[in-house]
Amino acid sequence: MGGAEPMQELIVPGNAYAGLDAYLERHQITRLFLVCGNSIAQLPLWDHLTALEQRRNIRIFRFSDFHPNPDLSSVQLGAAQYIARACSGIAAVGGGSAIDVAKCIWREIGTPDTPLLAIPTTAGSGSEATSFAVIYKNGVKQSVGNCLPNAAMLDPTLLRTLPLYQRKATLLDALCHGIESCWSMHTTPESRAYSVRAIRQVLEHAEGYLTNQDAGNAGMLQAANLAGKAIHIAKTTAAHAMCYRLTTLFGIAHGHAAALCLSALFPELLRHSLPEQTSAALREIAAAMDCPNGTTAAQKFASFLQALHLPGLSREIPITPKVLAASVDPDRLANTPIPLGTTDLCRLYEQILHA
């Protein structure tokens, strides 16, 4: 899943989407398979896409048969429709789920030369900048690799209709990506540079993004993209490994769940004797958060999360820390710079459930 900086074309929005039209023409796409959520109809981009057939003789085939935690069956259905309609390119317009589904469809059809364009409508997952995707099979998360979109378009105007809860959750996802990728065991000087820039930009543009200002939307979209580049190289750590069951069980957004886990993990990390690489990363994280040290940075993260006033986890769902701990993939913990056994995970989940 790791590697060097993603090599992809970045399409500049604006000018009546001339860059997008040029991309479609350059790749000779005449039948475009569009993976998107139902909310696309609210976006100005939708009017541009639906007019493509009349203006440029490009037919659009829309695929929206997937959920926020997409299942493998959706991917298989999408691949079958792509083939049946003889499409010549894929575009994903949406959040991480839409982009991940498009990536997996691209892998499923097995034609690596097929153009794959990612257009995020949230500023969180950074999925447009990574070569891996998340899909669920029988309720169990699966990771799919080697599916980097060959092009991406970062258009901040597409974020204007994003609901406030999703803004908070996606902001947190980008921030978690920045922090986790920085202390990851697979971190590199290149990935840490992306991580630090992402952390700074998330915090710098948080207020503008949460209040739906154009500059804040643009800044957060860039921050999420930088964080995506960071996890493309370094990957995430225990906070992400722990969050998936919380997402499906409590029905909260992915970024919300990741932040709850990171809030418990951050101080836990500081209680250990750490290798110099991790200690150096923590100093960089603290500096990016304008904090004197890791302890203060962990406290600032917890305060930042609390200040967002996110809904609490339901007390009515019968779940124990032990059951949650058993759901964590141990292979995904290996990227974390401290050892975390079942007892440790239970203790962390206890904090999360009763926060």
Side-chain angles (χ1 to χ4, degrees), residues 144-267:
V144 178
N146 300 316
C147 49
L148 175 70
N150 74 295
M153 184 171 76
L154 305 181
D155 182 0
T157 68
L158 302 183
L159 275 58
R160 290 175 179 168
T161 59
L162 199 62
L164 181 59
Y165 174 69
Q166 291 302 320
R167 287 182 180 276
K168 293 176 180 180
T170 51
L171 176 158
L172 289 169
D173 196 19
L175 185 55
C176 290
H177 284 168
I179 292 172
E180 289 184 71
S181 59
C182 197
W183 70 38
S184 158
M185 295 297 289
H186 289 95
T187 188
T188 68
E190 180 186 18
S191 72
R192 283 198 303 277
Y194 289 136
S195 300
V196 168
R197 287 172 60 196
I199 294 167
R200 286 192 182 280
Q201 285 200 214
V202 168
L203 297 176
E204 177 184 350
H205 293 286
E207 182 177 355
Y209 179 59
L210 293 174
T211 54
N212 199 13
Q213 298 175 25
D214 286 345
N217 288 339
M220 195 62 65
L221 198 56
Q222 289 290 340
N225 184 260
L226 288 167
K229 290 181 177 181
I231 63 170
H232 171 80
I233 300 170
K235 297 185 285 188
T236 54
T237 63
H240 264 69
M242 293 173 63
C243 81
Y244 294 104
R245 191 72 180 102
L246 294 179
T247 300
T248 56
L249 185 68
F250 291 97
I252 61 176
H254 167 74
H256 181 180
L260 291 175
C261 294
L262 185 61
S263 188
L265 178 66
F266 206 152

Side-chain angles (χ1 to χ4, degrees), residues 5 17 19 33 35 37 58 77 119 123 128 133 141 162-163 170 209 221-222 240-241 256 277 305 340-341 353:
E5 176 184 352
Y17 292 112
F33 194 72
V35 181
I58 298 174
L77 177 62
I119 306 175
E128 77 282 352
K141 188 189 71 66
L162 199 62
T170 51
Y209 179 59
L221 198 56
Q222 289 290 340
H240 264 69
H256 181 180
Q277 173 180 286
L305 175 59
L340 290 171
L353 290 174

Side-chain angles (χ1 to χ4, degrees), residues 4-345:
E5 176 184 352
M7 298 300 295
Q8 64 179 188
E9 177 184 356
L10 280 178
I11 298 171
V12 178
N15 192 23
Y17 292 112
L20 174 59
D21 286 2
Y23 168 85
L24 297 172
E25 182 177 352
R26 187 164 57 255
H27 289 278
Q28 299 180 332
I29 297 173
T30 57
R31 300 169 74 86
L32 180 66
F33 194 72
L34 178 65
V35 181
C36 61
N38 293 322
S39 61
I40 191 173
Q42 305 173 36
L43 304 175
L45 177 62
W46 177 240
D47 295 333
H48 182 83
L49 292 172
T50 54
L52 280 174
E53 184 169 5
Q54 181 179 358
R55 293 188 302 104
R56 294 184 173 271
N57 199 29
I58 298 174
R59 292 196 64 186
I60 301 293
F61 297 92
R62 179 175 169 180
F63 179 75
S64 301
D65 196 356
F66 59 91
H67 301 288
N69 296 306
D71 191 81
L72 178 62
S73 60
S74 295
V75 171
Q76 294 169 333
L77 177 62
Q81 291 188 14
Y82 178 95
I83 294 169
R85 292 166 176 172
C87 293
S88 49
I90 302 174
V93 180
S97 295
I99 296 174
D100 280 2
V101 168
K103 288 178 173 182
C104 292
I105 290 173
W106 180 85
R107 281 293 303 273
E108 186 77 10
I109 62 177
T111 52
D113 292 335
T114 298
L116 173 59
L117 168 64
I119 306 175
T121 59
T122 66
S125 74
S127 183
E128 77 282 352
T130 71
S131 64
F132 47 89
V134 171
I135 205 76
Y136 286 79
K137 182 179 181 181
N138 299 322
V140 179
K141 188 189 71 66
Q142 309 283 323
S143 292
V144 178
N146 300 316
C147 49
L148 175 70
N150 74 295
M153 184 171 76
L154 305 181
D155 182 0
T157 68
L158 302 183
L159 275 58
R160 290 175 179 168
T161 59
L162 199 62
L164 181 59
Y165 174 69
Q166 291 302 320
R167 287 182 180 276
K168 293 176 180 180
T170 51
L171 176 158
L172 289 169
D173 196 19
L175 185 55
C176 290
H177 284 168
I179 292 172
E180 289 184 71
S181 59
C182 197
W183 70 38
S184 158
M185 295 297 289
H186 289 95
T187 188
T188 68
E190 180 186 18
S191 72
R192 283 198 303 277
Y194 289 136
S195 300
V196 168
R197 287 172 60 196
I199 294 167
R200 286 192 182 280
Q201 285 200 214
V202 168
L203 297 176
E204 177 184 350
H205 293 286
E207 182 177 355
Y209 179 59
L210 293 174
T211 54
N212 199 13
Q213 298 175 25
D214 286 345
N217 288 339
M220 195 62 65
L221 198 56
Q222 289 290 340
N225 184 260
L226 288 167
K229 290 181 177 181
I231 63 170
H232 171 80
I233 300 170
K235 297 185 285 188
T236 54
T237 63
H240 264 69
M242 293 173 63
C243 81
Y244 294 104
R245 191 72 180 102
L246 294 179
T247 300
T248 56
L249 185 68
F250 291 97
I252 61 176
H254 167 74
H256 181 180
L260 291 175
C261 294
L262 185 61
S263 188
L265 178 66
F266 206 152
E268 176 72 13
L269 195 76
L270 296 169
R271 284 193 280 269
H272 285 70
S273 177
L274 300 170
E276 176 52 33
Q277 173 180 286
T278 307
S279 296
L282 284 168
R283 290 192 291 270
E284 291 190 70
I285 292 168
M289 296 178 70
D290 289 327
C291 294
N293 52 52
T295 300
T296 310
Q299 293 168 348
K300 182 171 182 175
F301 181 89
S303 298
F304 183 84
L305 175 59
Q306 186 176 18
L308 290 176
H309 301 294
L310 294 167
L313 299 181
S314 172
R315 297 285 195 262
E316 298 178 1
I317 296 177
I319 192 71
T320 65
K322 187 175 181 180
V323 171
L324 287 170
S327 73
V328 178
D329 183 349
D331 291 338
R332 294 183 62 83
L333 294 177
N335 200 32
T336 308
I338 59 172
L340 290 171
T342 300
T343 302
D344 302 307
L345 292 173

